[in-house]
Structures are given as C-alpha cells and as structure tokens.
Amino acid sequence: MNVIKYSCAIVLVVLALYSCKKDDDGGATVTPPRDRGEQQIADDKLLQDYLKTHFYTPEDVDVNNDAVVEYQIVKFDTIAGDNSSKEAIFNSSLLTTKKVTKNDVEYILYILNLDKGEGKSQPTFADFAYTTYKGELLYSKSTKVFDSAITPVWFDLASVVDGFREAVVDFKGATDPNPMPNNDGSTTYTGFGRLVVFMPSGLAYFNATNQPNIPAYSPLIFNIQLYNAKQADHDGDGIPSYLEDLDGDGVVFDLDDDTDGDKTPNYADSDDDKDGTLTKDEITVKDLNGDGVITLDEITFYDDDNDGIKNHLDFDDRDLKNE
C-alpha cells in the first residue's frame, strides 16, 4: 500500500536521480531534487490555502452495504456558492498543528482531531497500528484518492511516511480493541481514534520517484481511524523497538541506530554489537505486570567491565545472562 515507505526507498530515490533524460551530447543528466526548505514553504502555503478554502462534513462508511455504519470519514468541499457560509477547516477548533524536524527542515502538520480515542492502546513511532484510512491528493484532474483500506489493516509505523506516523502516535485505539464481529463478518468499534492529517511532501513522498499515483512534491491528506496498537519488537531480542532508537530522533532505521555498523539497525538486529552473543541473552526481561507490554523498568541491562557501555552494545562483554 502506498502509505508504506520502507527505508530502501532511499536507494530508489538516489537511483532515480540518474534518469533517462539526455543532454545534447547524448549523456545522462542528473535532475536533483528540490531544496527541502524551499519546498516546505511552498507546501505550507498550499496546505493553508486548501484549509482556508475548504470545509468538511462527516460521511458514513457502510463496509458491507447492510445499513450498519462501521465508522465515519470526512468529505471535503470548496467554500463557494451554496456552501459560502461553511466554516473553513483552518478556523475549526479541532484543527491543531505539530512541528516535525527532518533533514534540518522544520515541517508543519495540520491535524484535524476528530476523536483522540478512549482505549488503552497508543502506539509509539516504532509500533504496529490497526487502522482504516484513505489517502487523497489536495487537487487532481482525475481521481484524488490514491490509496485506501475500508477494512482494518495492520501497519508497521516504523515503515510508513513520516506524516502518517507523527500524527497517529498522538491518538489512542478503541475502547474494546477486539469486539465480537457482526453477523456479516464486519466489526464495529467504539471510542477509537479519528483524525485527518494534512502533510507537506517533505513528510510524505517528496519527489515521489517510485509512486506512480502521486505526483512529485504533493502535499497529502490522510483520513485515519485507529482501532488498536501493539508494541513491536522487530528482532525479537526482548527490547521494544522504540527503545532501540539510540539517537532519539523518532526513527529506528537510520545509521545512527546501528551499533555494530553492519548496516542493519539495532531494532532489526538480533546481535546489536556483533559479539556472537544474541542481545536477548545479554539482558534480562521480565513482564512484571503481565500486560504484554515491556517498559524500560522491566529490562535489566548489564555492564560487566564498568566502561559505561551496556553489554548488548559492547563487543567486549558477551557473557550469557539467562542460563
């Protein structure tokens, strides 16, 4: 699905810069991406113009056409003609902003907080989220919707576009994340998180070299319903993935989170320091309250040589701790 943006896409972007466009001498020419700071200024103007000239109305989603409404999304229209008296999204009391810094550029997300959610589950930036969603372009001569899921799907938030992740982590799941299915097999949730995020291209697909349905430098809109979240431990080493973000930037797949330099970041590496002893054997984990969620105080870290580096990150310390 288009919302997923794996880190390997970085490689595709680099390769795409060497396009098939030819210069006068018959050689390939490089089309560099736009300046991110300048593009953010342009995108923010587009987003603000859209928010100031459009309003929204709820729209029921009946998954199986059985007169049972599973959830609502919002529909957008222009403030004009018979709709001239409608309140602009920009003026809504439900609209908030969130600033996100990436590549030394400060971006602004515009988030319509329809319902924060009443459940206990709330994902971190590296967890799994159970959602329905619809992705739209601001403007399009053909269809505006480029991707959607009307029945819930699990997403790995470590691998989605930044704007999607940064918006969802501020919401909670449903009151009952595992309700009984309806007679027709569909499921109706209550008290779940509902939001719409308006994001600049810099927190989406930017120059979109590998996104055929999304033009380059497109700000995007995502209608999102969040039903559940699960803590992720991608490499099964006992350390929740969000705690393997060593540089604290809210991203777990960059080179700053790769202790042993093997090009596999710690959250996906079962032996973080490449000392031959698996990470899970260099720490002790106990789910003290049995809730299936591991917190920092439920992990015992060791430093056998007292050098200030925890065993699982220190090539010199490799003793088994759970024999």
Short mmCIF file of all heavy atoms in Angstrom, two decimals, residues 166-214:
data_model
loop_
_atom_site.label_atom_id
_atom_site.label_comp_id
_atom_site.label_asym_id
_atom_site.label_seq_id
_atom_site.Cartn_x
_atom_site.Cartn_y
_atom_site.Cartn_z
N GLU A 166 3.77 10.44 12.57
CA GLU A 166 3.79 11.52 13.56
C GLU A 166 2.39 11.92 14.00
O GLU A 166 2.20 12.39 15.12
CB GLU A 166 4.53 12.73 12.98
CG GLU A 166 6.02 12.55 12.81
CD GLU A 166 6.78 12.59 14.13
OE1 GLU A 166 6.17 12.96 15.16
OE2 GLU A 166 7.98 12.27 14.14
N ALA A 167 1.41 11.72 13.14
CA ALA A 167 0.03 12.05 13.50
C ALA A 167 -0.59 10.95 14.36
O ALA A 167 -1.20 11.21 15.40
CB ALA A 167 -0.81 12.28 12.24
N VAL A 168 -0.42 9.69 13.96
CA VAL A 168 -1.09 8.57 14.62
C VAL A 168 -0.61 8.38 16.06
O VAL A 168 -1.40 7.99 16.94
CB VAL A 168 -0.88 7.27 13.81
CG1 VAL A 168 -1.30 6.05 14.59
CG2 VAL A 168 -1.69 7.35 12.51
N VAL A 169 0.66 8.66 16.34
CA VAL A 169 1.19 8.39 17.69
C VAL A 169 0.54 9.24 18.78
O VAL A 169 0.70 8.95 19.96
CB VAL A 169 2.72 8.57 17.74
CG1 VAL A 169 3.41 7.57 16.84
CG2 VAL A 169 3.12 10.01 17.37
N ASP A 170 -0.20 10.25 18.40
CA ASP A 170 -0.86 11.11 19.39
C ASP A 170 -2.30 10.68 19.67
O ASP A 170 -3.03 11.39 20.36
CB ASP A 170 -0.83 12.57 18.92
CG ASP A 170 0.58 13.13 18.85
OD1 ASP A 170 1.42 12.71 19.66
OD2 ASP A 170 0.84 13.99 17.98
N PHE A 171 -2.70 9.52 19.14
CA PHE A 171 -4.07 9.05 19.30
C PHE A 171 -4.09 7.67 19.93
O PHE A 171 -3.09 6.95 19.94
CB PHE A 171 -4.79 9.03 17.94
CG PHE A 171 -5.08 10.41 17.42
CD1 PHE A 171 -4.08 11.18 16.84
CD2 PHE A 171 -6.35 10.95 17.51
CE1 PHE A 171 -4.32 12.45 16.38
CE2 PHE A 171 -6.62 12.23 17.05
CZ PHE A 171 -5.61 12.98 16.49
N LYS A 172 -5.27 7.31 20.47
CA LYS A 172 -5.45 6.01 21.11
C LYS A 172 -6.43 5.16 20.31
O LYS A 172 -7.21 5.66 19.51
CB LYS A 172 -5.96 6.18 22.54
CG LYS A 172 -4.97 6.87 23.46
CD LYS A 172 -5.51 6.97 24.88
CE LYS A 172 -4.50 7.61 25.81
NZ LYS A 172 -5.02 7.71 27.20
N GLY A 173 -6.38 3.85 20.60
CA GLY A 173 -7.26 2.91 19.93
C GLY A 173 -8.64 2.85 20.55
O GLY A 173 -9.01 3.68 21.39
N ALA A 174 -9.43 1.85 20.14
CA ALA A 174 -10.81 1.71 20.57
C ALA A 174 -10.93 1.27 22.03
O ALA A 174 -10.00 0.71 22.60
CB ALA A 174 -11.52 0.70 19.67
N THR A 175 -12.10 1.54 22.59
CA THR A 175 -12.38 1.13 23.96
C THR A 175 -12.24 -0.38 24.10
O THR A 175 -11.63 -0.88 25.05
CB THR A 175 -13.81 1.55 24.36
OG1 THR A 175 -13.96 2.95 24.13
CG2 THR A 175 -14.07 1.25 25.83
N ASP A 176 -12.80 -1.11 23.16
CA ASP A 176 -12.63 -2.56 23.08
C ASP A 176 -11.93 -2.85 21.76
O ASP A 176 -12.55 -2.83 20.70
CB ASP A 176 -13.98 -3.27 23.13
CG ASP A 176 -13.84 -4.79 23.04
OD1 ASP A 176 -12.69 -5.28 22.99
OD2 ASP A 176 -14.88 -5.49 23.02
N PRO A 177 -10.63 -3.14 21.81
CA PRO A 177 -9.90 -3.35 20.54
C PRO A 177 -10.20 -4.68 19.87
O PRO A 177 -9.78 -4.89 18.73
CB PRO A 177 -8.43 -3.27 20.99
CG PRO A 177 -8.46 -3.71 22.41
CD PRO A 177 -9.76 -3.22 22.98
N ASN A 178 -10.92 -5.55 20.55
CA ASN A 178 -11.24 -6.86 19.97
C ASN A 178 -12.73 -7.18 20.14
O ASN A 178 -13.09 -8.18 20.79
CB ASN A 178 -10.39 -7.95 20.63
CG ASN A 178 -8.91 -7.74 20.44
OD1 ASN A 178 -8.41 -7.80 19.32
ND2 ASN A 178 -8.20 -7.49 21.52
N PRO A 179 -13.62 -6.38 19.56
CA PRO A 179 -15.05 -6.63 19.71
C PRO A 179 -15.50 -7.85 18.90
O PRO A 179 -14.83 -8.28 17.98
CB PRO A 179 -15.69 -5.35 19.16
CG PRO A 179 -14.70 -4.87 18.14
CD PRO A 179 -13.35 -5.21 18.71
N MET A 180 -16.65 -8.39 19.29
CA MET A 180 -17.22 -9.52 18.54
C MET A 180 -17.64 -9.04 17.16
O MET A 180 -18.20 -7.94 17.01
CB MET A 180 -18.41 -10.09 19.29
CG MET A 180 -18.06 -10.76 20.61
SD MET A 180 -17.01 -12.23 20.37
CE MET A 180 -18.17 -13.32 19.54
N PRO A 181 -17.41 -9.84 16.12
CA PRO A 181 -17.82 -9.44 14.77
C PRO A 181 -19.33 -9.43 14.61
O PRO A 181 -20.05 -10.15 15.32
CB PRO A 181 -17.17 -10.49 13.87
CG PRO A 181 -16.98 -11.68 14.76
CD PRO A 181 -16.71 -11.13 16.13
N ASN A 182 -19.80 -8.62 13.68
CA ASN A 182 -21.23 -8.60 13.36
C ASN A 182 -21.60 -9.88 12.61
O ASN A 182 -20.74 -10.65 12.21
CB ASN A 182 -21.55 -7.36 12.51
CG ASN A 182 -21.17 -6.07 13.20
OD1 ASN A 182 -21.36 -5.94 14.40
ND2 ASN A 182 -20.62 -5.13 12.45
N ASN A 183 -22.88 -10.08 12.41
CA ASN A 183 -23.35 -11.29 11.73
C ASN A 183 -22.80 -11.42 10.32
O ASN A 183 -22.64 -12.53 9.80
CB ASN A 183 -24.89 -11.31 11.68
CG ASN A 183 -25.50 -11.49 13.05
OD1 ASN A 183 -24.88 -12.07 13.95
ND2 ASN A 183 -26.71 -10.98 13.25
N ASP A 184 -22.51 -10.29 9.69
CA ASP A 184 -22.00 -10.34 8.31
C ASP A 184 -20.47 -10.40 8.25
O ASP A 184 -19.87 -10.33 7.18
CB ASP A 184 -22.51 -9.14 7.51
CG ASP A 184 -22.04 -7.81 8.10
OD1 ASP A 184 -21.29 -7.83 9.10
OD2 ASP A 184 -22.43 -6.77 7.55
N GLY A 185 -19.84 -10.51 9.42
CA GLY A 185 -18.39 -10.62 9.45
C GLY A 185 -17.66 -9.31 9.65
O GLY A 185 -16.46 -9.30 9.94
N SER A 186 -18.35 -8.18 9.49
CA SER A 186 -17.72 -6.88 9.72
C SER A 186 -17.60 -6.63 11.23
O SER A 186 -18.20 -7.35 12.04
CB SER A 186 -18.52 -5.76 9.06
OG SER A 186 -19.80 -5.67 9.64
N THR A 187 -16.86 -5.63 11.60
CA THR A 187 -16.64 -5.32 13.01
C THR A 187 -16.93 -3.85 13.26
O THR A 187 -16.50 -3.00 12.49
CB THR A 187 -15.19 -5.63 13.42
OG1 THR A 187 -14.89 -7.00 13.09
CG2 THR A 187 -14.99 -5.44 14.91
N THR A 188 -17.64 -3.58 14.33
CA THR A 188 -17.95 -2.21 14.70
C THR A 188 -17.22 -1.86 15.99
O THR A 188 -17.42 -2.52 17.02
CB THR A 188 -19.46 -2.01 14.89
OG1 THR A 188 -20.15 -2.38 13.69
CG2 THR A 188 -19.77 -0.54 15.20
N TYR A 189 -16.36 -0.86 15.92
CA TYR A 189 -15.59 -0.42 17.07
C TYR A 189 -16.22 0.84 17.68
O TYR A 189 -16.92 1.58 16.99
CB TYR A 189 -14.15 -0.10 16.67
CG TYR A 189 -13.36 -1.27 16.16
CD1 TYR A 189 -13.42 -1.65 14.81
CD2 TYR A 189 -12.55 -2.01 17.01
CE1 TYR A 189 -12.69 -2.74 14.34
CE2 TYR A 189 -11.82 -3.09 16.55
CZ TYR A 189 -11.89 -3.45 15.22
OH TYR A 189 -11.18 -4.52 14.75
N THR A 190 -15.94 1.07 18.96
CA THR A 190 -16.39 2.30 19.62
C THR A 190 -15.20 2.95 20.32
O THR A 190 -14.25 2.28 20.73
CB THR A 190 -17.49 2.00 20.66
OG1 THR A 190 -16.99 1.08 21.64
CG2 THR A 190 -18.73 1.43 20.00
N GLY A 191 -15.29 4.26 20.44
CA GLY A 191 -14.28 5.01 21.19
C GLY A 191 -12.90 4.99 20.58
O GLY A 191 -11.90 5.13 21.29
N PHE A 192 -12.80 4.82 19.25
CA PHE A 192 -11.48 4.75 18.61
C PHE A 192 -11.00 6.13 18.18
O PHE A 192 -11.77 7.09 18.08
CB PHE A 192 -11.54 3.81 17.39
CG PHE A 192 -12.63 4.13 16.40
CD1 PHE A 192 -12.39 4.99 15.34
CD2 PHE A 192 -13.89 3.57 16.53
CE1 PHE A 192 -13.39 5.29 14.42
CE2 PHE A 192 -14.90 3.84 15.61
CZ PHE A 192 -14.65 4.71 14.57
N GLY A 193 -9.71 6.24 17.92
CA GLY A 193 -9.13 7.49 17.47
C GLY A 193 -9.49 7.81 16.04
O GLY A 193 -9.48 6.92 15.18
N ARG A 194 -9.83 9.07 15.79
CA ARG A 194 -10.22 9.50 14.45
C ARG A 194 -9.51 10.81 14.15
O ARG A 194 -9.57 11.75 14.95
CB ARG A 194 -11.73 9.70 14.34
CG ARG A 194 -12.56 8.45 14.58
CD ARG A 194 -14.04 8.77 14.67
NE ARG A 194 -14.52 9.49 13.50
CZ ARG A 194 -15.24 10.61 13.55
NH1 ARG A 194 -15.53 11.18 14.71
NH2 ARG A 194 -15.64 11.18 12.45
N LEU A 195 -8.87 10.89 13.00
CA LEU A 195 -8.12 12.09 12.67
C LEU A 195 -7.99 12.25 11.17
O LEU A 195 -8.17 11.29 10.41
CB LEU A 195 -6.72 12.04 13.29
CG LEU A 195 -5.80 10.92 12.77
CD1 LEU A 195 -4.35 11.44 12.69
CD2 LEU A 195 -5.84 9.71 13.68
N VAL A 196 -7.68 13.46 10.77
CA VAL A 196 -7.28 13.74 9.39
C VAL A 196 -5.97 14.52 9.48
O VAL A 196 -5.89 15.50 10.22
CB VAL A 196 -8.33 14.57 8.63
CG1 VAL A 196 -7.86 14.81 7.20
CG2 VAL A 196 -9.69 13.90 8.65
N VAL A 197 -4.96 14.07 8.76
CA VAL A 197 -3.69 14.78 8.76
C VAL A 197 -3.42 15.33 7.37
O VAL A 197 -3.57 14.64 6.36
CB VAL A 197 -2.53 13.87 9.24
CG1 VAL A 197 -2.42 12.61 8.40
CG2 VAL A 197 -1.21 14.63 9.23
N PHE A 198 -3.05 16.59 7.32
CA PHE A 198 -2.67 17.29 6.09
C PHE A 198 -1.16 17.48 6.17
O PHE A 198 -0.67 18.21 7.04
CB PHE A 198 -3.38 18.64 6.00
CG PHE A 198 -4.88 18.56 6.09
CD1 PHE A 198 -5.52 18.49 7.33
CD2 PHE A 198 -5.67 18.55 4.94
CE1 PHE A 198 -6.91 18.42 7.41
CE2 PHE A 198 -7.05 18.47 5.02
CZ PHE A 198 -7.67 18.41 6.26
N MET A 199 -0.44 16.84 5.27
CA MET A 199 1.02 16.82 5.40
C MET A 199 1.73 17.38 4.18
O MET A 199 1.28 17.19 3.04
CB MET A 199 1.50 15.39 5.66
CG MET A 199 1.27 14.41 4.52
SD MET A 199 1.81 12.70 4.91
CE MET A 199 0.54 12.20 6.08
N PRO A 200 2.86 18.05 4.40
CA PRO A 200 3.67 18.53 3.27
C PRO A 200 4.39 17.36 2.61
O PRO A 200 4.54 16.28 3.20
CB PRO A 200 4.65 19.49 3.95
CG PRO A 200 4.80 18.94 5.33
CD PRO A 200 3.44 18.41 5.71
N SER A 201 4.86 17.57 1.40
CA SER A 201 5.52 16.49 0.66
C SER A 201 6.78 16.02 1.37
O SER A 201 7.17 14.85 1.25
CB SER A 201 5.86 16.95 -0.76
OG SER A 201 6.81 18.00 -0.75
N GLY A 202 7.43 16.90 2.12
CA GLY A 202 8.65 16.52 2.82
C GLY A 202 8.44 15.51 3.91
O GLY A 202 9.38 14.85 4.35
N LEU A 203 7.19 15.35 4.38
CA LEU A 203 6.86 14.31 5.36
C LEU A 203 6.03 13.22 4.71
O LEU A 203 5.45 12.37 5.39
CB LEU A 203 6.11 14.92 6.55
CG LEU A 203 6.90 15.90 7.40
CD1 LEU A 203 6.05 16.43 8.55
CD2 LEU A 203 8.19 15.27 7.94
N ALA A 204 5.98 13.25 3.38
CA ALA A 204 5.26 12.23 2.61
C ALA A 204 6.25 11.57 1.65
O ALA A 204 7.21 10.96 2.09
CB ALA A 204 4.07 12.85 1.88
N TYR A 205 6.07 11.75 0.34
CA TYR A 205 6.92 11.07 -0.63
C TYR A 205 7.86 12.03 -1.37
O TYR A 205 8.55 11.62 -2.30
CB TYR A 205 6.05 10.31 -1.63
CG TYR A 205 5.21 9.25 -0.97
CD1 TYR A 205 3.88 9.48 -0.66
CD2 TYR A 205 5.76 8.01 -0.64
CE1 TYR A 205 3.10 8.51 -0.04
CE2 TYR A 205 5.00 7.04 -0.01
CZ TYR A 205 3.67 7.29 0.28
OH TYR A 205 2.91 6.34 0.90
N PHE A 206 7.85 13.29 -0.98
CA PHE A 206 8.72 14.33 -1.56
C PHE A 206 8.69 14.26 -3.08
O PHE A 206 7.66 14.53 -3.68
CB PHE A 206 10.14 14.23 -1.01
CG PHE A 206 10.93 15.50 -1.17
CD1 PHE A 206 10.39 16.71 -0.78
CD2 PHE A 206 12.21 15.49 -1.70
CE1 PHE A 206 11.10 17.90 -0.92
CE2 PHE A 206 12.94 16.67 -1.84
CZ PHE A 206 12.38 17.86 -1.45
N ASN A 207 9.80 13.89 -3.75
CA ASN A 207 9.78 13.89 -5.21
C ASN A 207 9.18 12.62 -5.81
O ASN A 207 9.12 12.48 -7.04
CB ASN A 207 11.17 14.14 -5.79
CG ASN A 207 12.24 13.23 -5.22
OD1 ASN A 207 12.04 12.59 -4.19
ND2 ASN A 207 13.38 13.18 -5.87
N ALA A 208 8.69 11.70 -4.97
CA ALA A 208 7.81 10.59 -5.37
C ALA A 208 8.29 9.81 -6.58
O ALA A 208 7.50 9.46 -7.45
CB ALA A 208 6.40 11.14 -5.62
N THR A 209 9.57 9.49 -6.62
CA THR A 209 10.10 8.80 -7.80
C THR A 209 9.54 7.40 -7.98
O THR A 209 9.51 6.88 -9.08
CB THR A 209 11.63 8.71 -7.71
OG1 THR A 209 12.00 8.09 -6.47
CG2 THR A 209 12.25 10.09 -7.79
N ASN A 210 9.11 6.76 -6.90
CA ASN A 210 8.59 5.39 -7.01
C ASN A 210 7.11 5.31 -6.65
O ASN A 210 6.62 4.28 -6.20
CB ASN A 210 9.39 4.44 -6.11
CG ASN A 210 9.31 4.82 -4.64
OD1 ASN A 210 9.11 5.99 -4.33
ND2 ASN A 210 9.47 3.85 -3.75
N GLN A 211 6.38 6.42 -6.84
CA GLN A 211 4.95 6.46 -6.53
C GLN A 211 4.17 6.90 -7.77
O GLN A 211 3.94 8.08 -7.99
CB GLN A 211 4.69 7.45 -5.37
CG GLN A 211 5.36 7.06 -4.06
CD GLN A 211 4.82 5.75 -3.51
OE1 GLN A 211 3.64 5.44 -3.66
NE2 GLN A 211 5.67 4.99 -2.87
N PRO A 212 3.75 5.94 -8.61
CA PRO A 212 3.11 6.30 -9.88
C PRO A 212 1.79 7.05 -9.73
O PRO A 212 1.40 7.78 -10.65
CB PRO A 212 2.89 4.94 -10.55
CG PRO A 212 2.89 3.95 -9.43
CD PRO A 212 3.87 4.48 -8.44
N ASN A 213 1.10 6.91 -8.60
CA ASN A 213 -0.19 7.56 -8.42
C ASN A 213 -0.10 8.89 -7.67
O ASN A 213 -1.12 9.53 -7.43
CB ASN A 213 -1.15 6.63 -7.67
CG ASN A 213 -1.43 5.36 -8.44
OD1 ASN A 213 -1.56 5.38 -9.66
ND2 ASN A 213 -1.53 4.24 -7.73
N ILE A 214 1.13 9.27 -7.33
CA ILE A 214 1.31 10.51 -6.58
C ILE A 214 2.31 11.39 -7.31
O ILE A 214 3.48 11.01 -7.45
CB ILE A 214 1.82 10.22 -5.15
CG1 ILE A 214 0.84 9.30 -4.41
CG2 ILE A 214 2.03 11.51 -4.37
CD1 ILE A 214 1.33 8.84 -3.06
#
